[in-house]
Amino acid sequence: MAGTEPAVRLYCFAHAGAGDSVFHRWARSTGEGVEPVPVLLPGRGGRRREPRLTDHGSLVAHLLDRVRVPAGQSYALYGHSLGAMVAHALAGALREEGLPLPSFVAVGACPPPDAASRLSDACESSDEELVEALDRLGALPEGVAARGYWRRASLPVLRDDLRLAGALRAAARASAPERGPLSVPLLAVSGSRDPLVSPATVGGWRRWTSGPVAARTVPGDHFFVRGEALPRLIGRACRVVRRLEAGGGNGNGNGRWSAETVPPYTREPAGHP
């Protein structure tokens, strides 16, 4: 690769209860030609004093104001679990505003909006019931269930994020008959040991775009976002887009991006073309 084309900007959205730290190592792992940009939502990390967002309208208004892509630069979206619904909602809002669409949208560890979601359905349970349900479903990081500090600091954020996920899923279903599926390419990623969302369920995202779809499985449980396999896979997908667009094509308009052009996960070093 000549290396003269601008990097693909990759906006990243985290799972429920998380900030942007889960993506801090992605700049190394995604490899050459990719610019990861973790997006921190209000109510966590450095924005913990800001009110958390729990409805579709507030979320998309907030993101449209903050996600700015320089003219002429390709970009993509990746969302993990709740973040997948955030990325999907943002792509839909960009379409409605007539703004440039991403070269592709990648979703991970998340059922499509028309499938059942045991996580968002548990958002109004008591604290004890919610923690037990999350632990049973494999949606808690190892060892945190018994930590009192974690419950005080993180459980309110997690609960509001699950409310947001439910609101985004409902909004997607409500708007689907009128607005139809997105037209962008979609990369749907599942974890090989995810007890919560199976590869078959993640594959249901193909119903939510009229563009080409690639479904891939990488090693890991529900939190495979923390491993090396996912950013390497997304990095390779970004380099496919970069090559196609450098050659006069584009990711979301002419059908040249396809399932076959996104390589499956391999153990090759980050930066391999």
Side-chain angles (χ1 to χ4, degrees):
M1 183 183 299
T4 57
E5 303 84 11
V8 176
R9 182 168 288 189
L10 176 64
Y11 291 99
C12 304
F13 304 93
H15 52 276
D20 55 359
S21 62
V22 293
F23 300 112
H24 282 175
R25 292 185 295 175
W26 276 41
R28 173 177 58 84
S29 300
T30 50
E32 184 268 336
V34 185
E35 179 193 356
V37 181
V39 179
L40 181 65
L41 295 181
R44 67 214 73 212
R47 306 185 66 189
R48 61 185 175 276
R49 297 187 184 277
E50 300 177 43
R52 293 187 288 272
L53 305 174
T54 58
D55 67 276
H56 176 270
S58 297
L59 175 80
V60 297
H62 178 80
L63 292 178
L64 288 173
D65 186 56
R66 293 183 67 92
V67 176
R68 304 281 185 174
V69 184
Q73 183 172 12
S74 301
Y75 77 101
L77 309 177
Y78 175 73
H80 195 82
S81 197
L82 160 71
M85 292 307 310
V86 173
H88 180 263
L90 174 58
L94 291 166
R95 177 180 63 177
E96 295 305 307
E97 294 292 321
L99 296 171
L101 293 176
S103 295
F104 69 92
V105 174
V107 295
C110 182
D114 57 337
S117 173
R118 291 176 287 174
L119 275 183
S120 58
D121 291 346
C123 66
E124 301 302 336
S125 303
S126 70
D127 285 359
E128 288 299 324
E129 290 171 335
L130 180 56
V131 170
E132 289 175 7
L134 293 168
D135 196 26
R136 184 172 62 252
L137 295 171
L140 282 181
E142 185 176 354
V144 305
R147 297 179 190 168
Y149 173 77
W150 179 88
R151 293 194 185 199
R152 293 191 301 273
S154 299
L155 197 57
V157 180
L158 180 58
R159 185 186 296 280
D160 278 350
D161 281 353
L162 296 180
R163 289 182 177 125
L164 175 61
L168 297 181
R169 298 173 70 79
R173 293 192 300 269
S175 64
E178 177 183 354
R179 297 175 182 172
L182 296 173
S183 59
V184 298
L186 190 140
L187 174 59
V189 190
S190 55
S192 60
R193 302 187 309 279
D194 187 345
L196 187 60
V197 189
S198 70
T201 298
V202 173
W205 275 96
R206 66 182 66 250
R207 298 187 293 272
W208 289 83
T209 182
S210 60
V213 176
R216 298 289 182 262
T217 300
V218 298
D221 58 16
H222 189 68
F223 298 100
F224 60 85
V225 65
R226 296 171 178 163
E228 294 289 328
L230 176 65
R232 289 181 181 179
L233 175 68
I234 302 295
R236 290 167 70 88
C238 287
R239 283 185 287 279
V240 167
V241 164
R242 196 168 179 236
R243 285 198 299 267
L244 289 174
E245 296 183 357
N250 62 64
N252 61 26
N254 67 3
R256 291 184 60 188
W257 195 103
S258 70
E260 288 71 29
T261 63
V262 180
Y265 165 70
T266 72
R267 295 186 180 275
E268 292 173 290
H272 191 281

